Amino acid sequence: MLSFINLRRQNLDDGDLVMLAASVRYGNLGGLRHLNLGGNLFGRHGIEALMGAVCGGGLRFLEILDLSRTRAGEGMEAVAAALSSDHGFSSLHSLHLPVCRVDDEGMRSL
């Protein structure tokens, strides 16, 4: 079972994250424990799609998520919703957010 995906600096945009979210939603990545998405181009639309799939229980065993050096901060409310969801990140213990454009509102939502 796949447990680690490193997609760091692959120029992934919002459309790519929407496709990744579909894989998560369909249960194709259910055993994933570490997902590195750092250094990519996606922003609000992509992170909202991915976090919506997470809220559906698609990454329940994920322990480490790296969103550094992206625009994920534009969708921090969706990240916060996934963190507080009953079916979201129940195993997450490390969330990397440096240089991802988190503003005051995003920090408040966390």
Side-chain angles (χ1 to χ4, degrees):
M1 181 179 304
L2 189 63
S3 64
F4 175 67
I5 296 179
N6 183 2
L7 295 171
R8 184 168 189 75
R9 296 191 318 213
Q10 297 300 309
N11 294 319
L12 301 179
D13 60 17
D14 286 330
D16 296 317
L17 245 62
V18 168
M19 288 188 285
L20 180 63
S23 284
V24 169
R25 191 174 307 107
Y26 294 127
N28 296 333
L29 302 172
L32 206 60
R33 298 200 182 283
H34 185 165
L35 179 58
N36 186 343
L37 295 171
N40 283 294
L41 307 172
F42 62 85
R44 176 181 300 277
H45 184 67
I47 201 67
E48 286 177 349
L50 182 59
M51 294 302 114
V54 167
C55 287
L59 291 178
R60 168 172 321 197
F61 300 109
L62 195 71
E63 297 172 357
I64 301 168
L65 177 60
D66 187 341
L67 299 173
S68 61
R69 300 190 181 281
T70 66
R71 295 178 331 190
E74 296 171 3
M76 202 48 53
E77 294 82 8
V79 174
L83 288 168
S84 63
S85 170
D86 290 338
H87 303 289
F89 290 125
S90 57
S91 299
L92 194 73
H93 63 76
S94 185
L95 177 61
H96 302 265
L97 297 172
V99 193
C100 70
R101 299 186 183 184
V102 179
D103 59 14
D104 290 343
E105 184 178 328
M107 287 304 295
R108 278 191 294 276
S109 69
L110 287 174

